[in-house]
Each structure stands twice: as C-alpha cells, then as structure tokens.
Amino acid sequence: MSVTDPQPPAPDPRSDAAQEALHDRIAADSLTTRRDYLRIVATVSGGLAVGGVAVASGILHRHGDSEGAPEAKRIADQLLPGESLAFRYPGSEDRAVAVRLEDGTLAGYSAVCTHLACAVLWRKDRGSEGELYCPCHEGVFDARTGEVTAGPPPRGLPKVVLVEETDGSVWAIGTARSGESAREGLCRQLGDDRPELADRLGCSGASAPGAAGERSERT
C-alpha cells in the first residue's frame, strides 16, 4: 500500500477573482481612512495655529478694546473676602471674573486667557492670595495684578474696573487693556463722552482720583 499526500483541489478562477476584488476594496478603504484621518488632523492643527496667531496678533476681539465708555453694571449685592464671581461685561459675550482678596481688595479681570482664549478660573487655595488659572495650557495669572506668573500666556489679563457702593453692592464700570491701569483705561474710554466724570477721576492729571460720588474704587 502506497501512501500519497492528498492533492489540493484545483483552484476555482471565480474564487480568486472574488478574493482579489475584496483585497482591492480593503486597500482602498484603508487608504481613504488614512487620508481622512490626516485631513482631520491637519484641519484641527491648522485651526489651532490660526486661532493662536489671531489671538496673539490682536485680530480677535479683546476685553478693553472699546473706545467708548461701557455702561455701569451691578454684578453683585455683596462680595466677601475669599469669594469670586463669574459674570459678563461689558458685553453679553465677554466673560469676566471678580475676586475679593482677603484684605478686602476688589479685583476684576477678563476671564479669557491671552494665550488661546480658553476660560480663566479662580483658584482660592493656591498661593497666599489665590490665583487665576487657565487649565488649557497651565497659564497662571496674579490675582492682585492680573500679570502672568507661569505658563505660555504672552501678556496679563485685561482688567474690569470694579467699584463698591456704600450699600456693599459691586459694580463694573469700565475696562482696561492688558498692561493698562484701571485709571488709564477709564480715562481713555471716558474721553469727551463724560468729561465731568473724567474730571472727578483726575484724568487731566490735576489730582489723583478719590471716591467718585458714593463709590470707592479698589483695583
């Protein structure tokens, strides 16, 4: 008895054609998937780059850019030491944050990071006075001045000028650009629109501003 290896069946030409068609389809799908993936990555990366350039170059709107004096806005009945408040000012799309430091100082800032326009948050438990923090790229701003203390932001936060009435209510009355003092921002915005208030603030340089009416400014 002789033993022979079993012979494979003769190939079916139709089966080979079907396998080749399936292989071509898989290859084409894979190429499409890779192309789509690369296109998505390129689009997202390009969008971030363009957004970063726009923010850095000042193409996008920033807090404090308006030349006219914004309307005063009551933002809180009271703000106690160690507390913070998120609000919108001067426009409905302008995110802002107010904080009351432990020594009673009121400070208000744009809540839009100057790096890539992410939201800025208040962290009370950081440092001796708390800090303003952007979680997107670890940007940190000084709570008292708004200046950059860590991370990639190219400049400090624009200010929102806050005052407190004798009844304890807190009002936003103007804005100041990054690197500009609250008084400089107010004087620039008031200009010729409200000369009586500009005089009371000492915008002519005759005297330093004191209490404006019943309000006492703490910035």
Side-chain angles (χ1 to χ4, degrees):
M1 177 184 294
S2 63
V3 178
T4 59
D5 292 331
Q7 298 297 316
D12 185 348
R14 292 174 300 175
S15 176
D16 289 345
Q19 289 180 359
E20 289 179 3
L22 179 61
H23 180 273
D24 291 342
R25 181 175 179 180
I26 292 173
D29 289 345
S30 298
L31 180 60
T32 301
T33 301
R34 287 195 297 272
R35 285 175 177 169
D36 290 343
Y37 173 77
L38 292 174
R39 184 170 63 251
I40 291 171
V41 170
T43 301
V44 172
S45 300
L48 288 175
V50 171
V53 170
V55 171
S57 61
I59 296 173
L60 299 183
H61 169 74
R62 294 177 185 158
H63 256 85
D65 274 350
S66 60
E67 292 297 332
E71 292 293 326
K73 179 180 180 179
R74 184 186 184 117
I75 64 169
D77 294 334
Q78 188 179 38
L79 195 62
L80 299 176
E83 291 184 344
S84 68
L85 173 70
F87 62 102
R88 302 280 177 143
Y89 188 81
S92 60
E93 301 300 320
D94 297 314
R95 300 191 303 272
V97 59
V99 297
R100 171 85 80 173
L101 303 180
E102 292 296 340
D103 66 358
T105 299
L106 276 173
Y109 302 101
S110 163
V112 179
C113 182
T114 56
H115 180 220
L116 290 178
C118 292
V120 172
L121 310 175
W122 165 246
R123 300 203 295 189
K124 178 183 176 181
D125 58 343
R126 295 300 182 98
S128 60
E129 296 187 309
E131 68 181 19
L132 296 159
Y133 169 71
C134 176
C136 289
H137 301 94
E138 303 294 321
V140 181
F141 303 88
D142 184 273
R144 187 173 290 275
T145 66
E147 294 304 312
V148 180
T149 60
R155 59 190 172 278
L157 293 171
K159 296 178 177 66
V160 175
V161 185
L162 302 179
V163 296
E164 184 178 18
E165 293 278 12
T166 55
D167 63 359
S169 61
V170 179
W171 292 68
I173 63 168
T175 61
R177 294 168 179 162
S178 178
E180 190 178 48
S181 72
R183 177 178 168 180
E184 290 170 341
L186 281 178
C187 290
R188 173 179 51 80
Q189 291 176 333
L190 291 173
D192 297 328
D193 294 336
R194 301 174 67 183
E196 73 289 347
L197 183 54
D199 288 341
R200 291 166 68 183
L201 289 173
C203 292
S204 62
S207 61
E214 293 182 338
R215 296 174 182 171
S216 61
E217 182 180 345
R218 299 179 183 181
T219 58

